[in-house]
Amino acid sequence: MDNLVVETRYGKVQGTKEGGVCVWRGIPYAKPPVGKLRFQAPQPPDPWAGVRDATRFGPNCVQFGNYLRTEHMGSREFSEDCLYLNIWSPAADGRKRPVMVWIHGGFFRMGSGSLAMYNGVSFAEKGDVVLVTINYRLGALGFLQLGEFGERFADSGNCGLLDQIAALRWVKENIEAFGGDPDRVTIFGQSAGGRSTGILLAAPEARGLFSQAIVHSGGIETYGDAANAGKLARQIMSNLNIGPQEVDKLLEVPVEKLVEATPPPRAGNGMEPNIDGIHLTQKPLEALAEGHGKNLRIMIGYCLNDFTKDFEPRWKEMSEQEILDDFKSRIGTGWEELLDYYLSRDPQDAPLVEKLVPMLIYNEFTYPAIRLVEIQEKQGAPAWLYRFDWLNPLTGYATHALELPFVFNNLHQPGVSGVMVGGGDERLPLAEFMHRSWIAFAHNGDPSVEGELGWPAYRSDERAMMLFNTTSRIAYDLNPEERKVWERAKGSLA
């Protein structure tokens, strides 16, 4: 008989079965961050008496954007009361299995741990892994920097990040009761979740809560600063007709009005984790270069077409000079040398945006990933580099997030096949290989799969990189000329 009633530090929870896997959904890892707890660091949950039902997903965080198909979320409820996690486990039997904690993406404005694509049954059933997904506060609820208006709001600009740390602390304290090993936790996430994973490598409060990390298309050198975050907060207050001396009124604003007052997303505008000097004091690569990750094993990678010419709709309406100015603001240091390289590399008649988009991918994902694995090598800590190259028949690209249903082995889930991913059975061996690679990393600290293509850790004398495709392969020193241009233009980053 499966043990579906598990006792946590805060009370008992009743789970359910999904196939042969035990599942607990909607477990609170913190108090509801509502009322006076809005814009405050998460607090431990209140204990409860009796047995709490954990068969349904908790509410998703209110979404600060309408870019995601919410019909594929496990919950149809959206609320400030959103700090819940979900667990898939082979059994709550006292065995200490590796644990994987998934941090969802969505530009820090949308998303949920209950998306069907993140279903953890295959990780538990095929991988003997305990899989955890979490919700965290998004948009202004998670990242509105109000520190300049009083010390009581000092944590407000990084509440979403502090939620993630609180969830990891809950896992550390409780996961053994669900069949997991609190000392073998791998964190992984994609896009905003990948950025979060990279930032957690540098967060002092997260140290000791995980031993491995996988960064999926996470721009680990893209983060906010307190000045930009404060500027955005003042703009939102102005949109709500709230003056600097009336900041407490923000606690009473209906959340729907807060969503309406929040400007559209743009990287670097402050609606993201920011270096506040309290919870984040360093850039991720700086922290790693100082040795803070020397005991961590890390995988990092990205998709071949994480950005495409359609990434920024405004590009279609811009003049060539406006496009150049936009890319210059995104690239920063080394712009002139990099521009010369990319303009000369592609055919002269190619559209300007198509020439420049590869530069944006390299700036956001490729070069920071190379620098991370190089830093880890110097620290004596193994790290692995990958790129997802499979071209989706629906789009012709290997776009942002396309690897996720392969990693989770969830091509069959609602909203995936025919909606997000095209193709047929030819995809299945790639999904199986990627899924087993992630499982191998969780178990062994090495993504190499027995009987499959070996995946060596990165070394600067070889520069090995896994290229995932229908026929996956290891590339050595992929595109060295491009890499050397970036090394001259950008230096070490750390």
Side-chain angles (χ1 to χ4, degrees), residues 153-396:
F153 294 114
D155 299 324
S156 63
N158 278 314
C159 281
L161 184 70
L162 296 177
D163 293 343
Q164 297 168 12
I165 293 172
L168 291 173
R169 192 172 292 117
W170 189 97
V171 168
K172 184 78 169 179
E173 295 173 348
N174 294 279
I175 205 65
E176 190 170 350
F178 296 85
D181 186 344
D183 295 321
R184 282 200 294 165
V185 174
T186 299
I187 61 172
F188 67 136
Q190 185 268 344
S191 193
R195 285 172 63 188
S196 297
T197 301
I199 289 169
L200 288 168
L201 299 174
E205 292 159 275
R207 288 172 195 155
L209 299 180
F210 59 92
S211 58
Q212 303 190 146
I214 309 173
V215 179
H216 296 238
S217 299
I220 58 171
E221 281 296 284
T222 303
Y223 37 78
D225 63 67
N228 276 344
K231 180 179 178 181
L232 183 65
R234 291 190 295 276
Q235 181 181 349
I236 290 173
M237 290 172 65
S238 175
N239 291 345
L240 291 166
N241 295 315
I242 293 175
Q245 308 305 317
E246 303 174 304
V247 66
D248 284 344
K249 288 186 177 180
L250 280 171
L251 301 179
E252 302 168 4
V253 172
V255 70
E256 296 80 11
K257 295 291 185 183
L258 195 59
V259 171
E260 290 175 9
T262 302
R266 182 174 172 81
N269 76 347
M271 197 61 73
E272 57 203 337
N274 63 90
I275 297 177
D276 59 4
I278 303 170
H279 304 291
L280 282 180
T281 59
Q282 288 179 295
K283 304 173 186 178
L285 293 183
E286 287 178 348
L288 292 177
E290 291 183 5
H292 293 306
K294 63 183 178 182
N295 295 319
L296 300 176
R297 289 172 174 251
I298 302 173
M299 288 168 54
I300 186 167
Y302 57 98
C303 294
L304 178 64
N305 308 115
D306 265 313
F307 297 128
T308 70
K309 60 183 175 60
D310 300 315
F311 167 72
E312 177 57 81
R314 295 182 305 134
W315 289 337
K316 294 179 181 178
E317 312 300 327
M318 288 180 173
S319 68
E320 286 202 348
Q321 188 57 54
E322 288 172 331
I323 290 170
L324 289 170
D325 290 343
D326 183 64
F327 274 82
K328 181 178 180 179
S329 70
R330 296 171 186 266
I331 300 299
T333 304
W335 162 252
E336 297 295 342
E337 182 173 0
L338 293 167
L339 177 64
D340 289 344
Y341 172 76
Y342 284 95
L343 290 182
S344 64
R345 189 181 71 162
D346 294 325
Q348 291 300 310
D349 58 349
L352 180 61
V353 167
E354 291 186 15
K355 290 183 179 182
L356 299 182
V357 160
M359 184 197 311
L360 203 58
I361 296 171
Y362 213 99
N363 185 69
E364 185 78 5
F365 305 115
T366 310
Y367 197 54
I370 291 172
R371 294 301 300 126
L372 185 148
V373 294
E374 288 177 342
I375 288 169
Q376 288 300 92
E377 180 195 13
K378 290 178 182 177
Q379 298 292 334
W384 290 262
L385 187 62
Y386 75 87
R387 192 178 73 191
F388 184 76
D389 284 3
W390 184 79
L391 301 181
N392 188 352
L394 295 179
T395 65

Side-chain angles (χ1 to χ4, degrees), residues 119-170:
N119 183 290
V121 164
S122 190
F123 269 115
E125 196 166 52
K126 294 189 174 185
D128 199 32
V129 165
V130 177
L131 193 283
V132 181
T133 67
I134 68 172
N135 292 345
Y136 56 95
R137 279 174 282 182
L138 303 170
L141 296 173
F143 303 100
L144 190 64
Q145 178 55 268
L146 300 169
E148 68 182 272
F149 301 107
E151 191 172 335
R152 68 191 186 283
F153 294 114
D155 299 324
S156 63
N158 278 314
C159 281
L161 184 70
L162 296 177
D163 293 343
Q164 297 168 12
I165 293 172
L168 291 173
R169 192 172 292 117
W170 189 97

Side-chain angles (χ1 to χ4, degrees), residues 32-41 43 80 137 152-153 248 251-252:
V34 299
K36 292 183 178 180
L37 294 182
R38 183 187 273 186
F39 309 128
Q40 299 297 313
Q43 303 297 313
E80 283 188 77
R137 279 174 282 182
R152 68 191 186 283
F153 294 114
D248 284 344
L251 301 179
E252 302 168 4

